[in-house]
Amino acid sequence: RYLDGALDSLTKQTFHSYELILIDDGSTDKTAGICDRWAAKDSRIKVIHQNNQGVSAARMVGMKEAHGEYFISCDADDWMEPNYIAELYNTAKAENADIVFCDYDLVYANHRKVVVNKIENLDRTSYLKAQLAGGMWGTYWNKMIRLSLLKQHGIWPIAGLQMWEDYVVTNRCAMYADKFAYCPKVLYHYNQTNIGAMTK
């Protein structure tokens, strides 16, 4: 239901030099066809179809397939601002950061709630304190993370973990990150109207 919107927002990014890996995790609706249709019209898109293994296993496949300097993992029912990738990437390069995070909003049927992720000090201890004390969410989608953190330290999603799987990975990455950066802009829109989402 929401996938076309997510892919439309990703393919219309102002930053063009990226790969977009879609993992069809054994879908039983029209998802597979939607993925293939988008891949046919955009050479940056690669689709991997697999038997259903759950969200963690699906993300792991995408991460291991990725070749870029940084990665972002997005959810299929959300959407992004056109400058989403550009702002995060430019911040990462300017600050030589291993992890960059931005603000986002929670989108309800009749209102939006902006979530500001600013922390006082941009260091590992402050970041992890904010995460572990509940001051920030450990989501993938408002973060750009240096891919080498995963590959050098063997940080992968835990297969079978269906909720908060991103919290586990992003905070393990933070344990090895030398530099953090913050982009104070609302760049990601987190859909709260999908009653079929895992969090619901």
Side-chain angles (χ1 to χ4, degrees):
R1 180 178 174 185
Y2 303 100
L3 184 55
D4 276 318
L7 295 178
D8 184 64
S9 72
L10 281 167
T11 55
K12 290 181 177 176
Q13 291 292 304
T14 58
F15 185 96
H16 300 289
S17 181
Y18 66 92
E19 60 181 350
L20 177 52
I21 303 169
L22 307 180
I23 311 299
D24 168 32
D25 188 44
S27 62
T28 57
D29 53 14
K30 297 179 180 179
T31 295
I34 294 171
C35 290
D36 290 339
R37 173 166 49 84
W38 279 90
K41 63 183 181 179
D42 193 321
S43 62
R44 296 171 298 181
I45 299 177
K46 176 177 182 178
V47 181
I48 297 174
H49 300 284
Q50 64 183 29
N51 293 329
N52 180 257
Q53 299 175 50
V55 63
S56 292
R59 292 198 200 272
M60 187 187 310
V61 169
M63 290 172 182
K64 288 187 174 181
E65 188 67 27
H67 299 95
E69 183 180 5
Y70 293 91
F71 84 93
I72 302 169
S73 186
C74 301
D75 290 347
D77 56 352
D78 299 331
W79 67 100
M80 307 91 214
E81 287 296 305
N83 58 337
Y84 168 64
I85 296 176
E87 292 283 356
L88 290 176
Y89 182 74
N90 291 338
T91 301
K93 298 304 284 185
E95 301 291 335
N96 191 28
D98 297 309
I99 298 176
V100 181
F101 55 96
C102 67
D103 299 331
Y104 58 91
D105 60 9
L106 307 174
V107 183
Y108 298 89
N110 55 7
H111 72 285
R112 297 186 181 200
K113 178 182 177 183
V114 171
V115 177
V116 176
N117 284 286
K118 184 177 181 180
I119 56 177
E120 188 171 336
N121 299 308
L122 284 171
D123 57 57
R124 182 186 298 120
T125 300
S126 299
Y127 178 89
L128 287 169
K129 278 184 177 180
Q131 291 287 328
L132 297 173
M136 289 173 60
W137 283 5
T139 56
Y140 288 122
W141 34 255
N142 75 321
K143 296 173 184 66
M144 179 174 279
I145 299 174
R146 196 181 298 277
L147 189 61
S148 62
L149 290 180
L150 298 179
K151 299 196 172 184
Q152 289 177 6
H153 302 289
I155 302 170
W156 305 111
I158 300 172
L161 189 60
Q162 298 292 82
M163 288 270 301
W164 293 71
E165 83 289 347
D166 44 4
Y167 182 88
V168 176
V169 173
T170 58
N171 286 311
R172 287 168 68 200
C173 287
M175 297 291 289
Y176 294 98
D178 292 321
K179 185 74 183 292
F180 297 80
Y182 169 56
C183 181
K185 297 182 180 181
V186 176
L187 300 173
Y188 193 93
H189 305 292
Y190 182 23
N191 183 5
Q192 299 297 295
T193 66
N194 181 7
I195 61 172
M198 181 67 72
T199 52
K200 301 301 181 189

